Amino acid sequence: MVPSLPRILLPLALMCISTAIDALPRSLLFVTQIFPPIIEDAGGDKLGGAQVEILQEACRRLEWRCEVRAMVWKRALRTISLGEADGLLLVQDVAERRAVMELSLPVLLSSYGLYVLNGNPLRYRQPADLSGHVLAVYGPSLSQVNGEQLLQGVAGVTEQVEPDPQTVLHKLAAGRYGATAVAFSNADIARYWIQHDGLSTVHQLATIKSISYLFGFTRSRLQPGTLDAFNQVLLSMCRDGSMSRLAGRYGLLSAGCH
């Protein structure tokens, strides 16, 4: 018996539909918080900054439509945990992030540092040197987590937690924490606010820890092959120098080609 025409064409039709769907540009939503120069408010509901530009270039090469939406950090993390966005910017490779996300290759290098008022006689060699001082930090955040890890076993430190890094540096510059207080901050973000807001009375005392930033993809929404394709493009951008150029526009360093 000769098969009917519809039965012959059905598998072919399904294959064509599947191919057409796969060929459509992906639409991905990423969330983050404003952390210049890594994530910046570019005006008109648009975001800029080094990591945003790296993401948009990677998505352009992949022919994906990628939206980045800014919100307070606590809400951004909750959005990811609820599976309401595809990814997160400004991610570090820590257990809290790996619990709900798959992480990309590193894209930016940075560090944490200690900041003091000019004229502060403090000389930092080890965490114990902070005993008896106020330590101001942005939190809740990984900055606060890393600052508290630094203080483990150090007695007599008063922690002052603020809602954002800019507030920390402004209060430090104004002497609100006292003349011998110390701020713990991401070094690139601190550099941005010191220059942008003219906080000439504040300087970096020490570099504490090197860190890298990645992209996080929400595990519950991640489609097969998405992260592999994204990482391949990041690797290509690293090797052709475009990642370094995009980071350099903001005075940042790109991660190595892994």
Side-chain angles (χ1 to χ4, degrees):
M1 178 182 295
V2 178
S4 64
L5 186 59
R7 290 181 63 184
I8 294 174
L9 295 179
L10 182 57
L12 180 60
L14 291 175
M15 183 181 300
C16 292
I17 292 171
S18 177
T19 301
I21 291 173
D22 290 341
L24 289 174
R26 297 170 184 255
S27 295
L28 300 176
L29 170 64
F30 291 81
V31 293
T32 189
Q33 182 174 339
I34 302 296
F35 283 111
I38 304 172
I39 313 292
E40 293 188 357
D41 183 351
D45 295 327
K46 294 183 179 180
L47 297 180
Q51 198 171 12
V52 173
E53 289 205 20
I54 290 170
L55 173 67
Q56 295 296 2
E57 174 60 18
C59 291
R60 185 191 67 79
R61 296 187 185 194
L62 288 162
E63 298 184 346
W64 296 351
R65 294 190 297 267
C66 296
E67 177 188 356
V68 186
R69 190 175 299 166
M71 54 188 66
V72 297
W73 192 238
K74 186 175 181 180
R75 182 184 170 197
L77 294 177
R78 178 173 172 79
T79 299
I80 294 296
S81 68
L82 293 175
E84 295 176 350
D86 297 288
L88 182 72
L89 275 66
L90 208 70
V91 175
Q92 294 184 47
D93 188 353
V94 295
E96 298 96 308
R97 303 295 178 257
R98 286 194 174 273
V100 295
M101 289 183 284
E102 297 293 336
L103 305 184
S104 75
L105 295 174
V107 291
L108 294 173
L109 299 180
S110 191
S111 62
Y112 287 121
L114 297 177
Y115 294 81
V116 295
L117 280 169
N118 298 341
N120 187 332
L122 177 63
R123 296 292 181 267
Y124 181 84
R125 296 172 298 276
Q126 58 187 350
D129 295 332
L130 299 175
S131 180
H133 293 267
V134 171
L135 184 79
V137 64
Y138 152 62
S141 67
L142 286 179
S143 292
Q144 183 181 2
V145 171
N146 280 276
E148 290 173 351
Q149 288 176 349
L150 179 69
L151 297 178
Q152 286 182 357
V154 179
V157 178
T158 301
E159 184 183 45
Q160 183 70 48
V161 181
E162 303 292 355
D164 55 71
Q166 186 182 20
T167 298
V168 170
L169 293 163
H170 270 262
K171 286 189 175 182
L172 179 69
R176 296 277 295 278
Y177 307 125
T180 62
V182 181
F184 184 94
S185 176
N186 173 285
D188 290 302
I189 293 173
R191 171 178 53 82
Y192 174 89
W193 287 119
I194 289 170
Q195 294 176 355
H196 183 273
D197 292 352
L199 306 179
S200 58
T201 59
V202 173
H203 71 274
Q204 185 172 356
L205 175 67
T207 298
I208 298 300
K209 178 183 179 181
S210 296
I211 55 176
S212 59
Y213 288 115
L214 314 87
F215 296 97
F217 286 80
T218 309
R219 188 172 294 118
S220 63
R221 293 169 63 109
L222 186 61
Q223 297 298 312
T226 298
L227 183 57
D228 288 341
F230 189 76
N231 279 336
Q232 285 300 315
V233 168
L234 291 182
L235 185 59
S236 175
M237 290 173 60
C238 182
R239 288 174 173 169
D240 68 21
S242 57
M243 188 179 297
S244 179
R245 288 192 295 273
L246 292 172
R249 291 181 185 177
Y250 298 89
L252 299 171
L253 296 175
S254 64
C257 304
H258 300 281

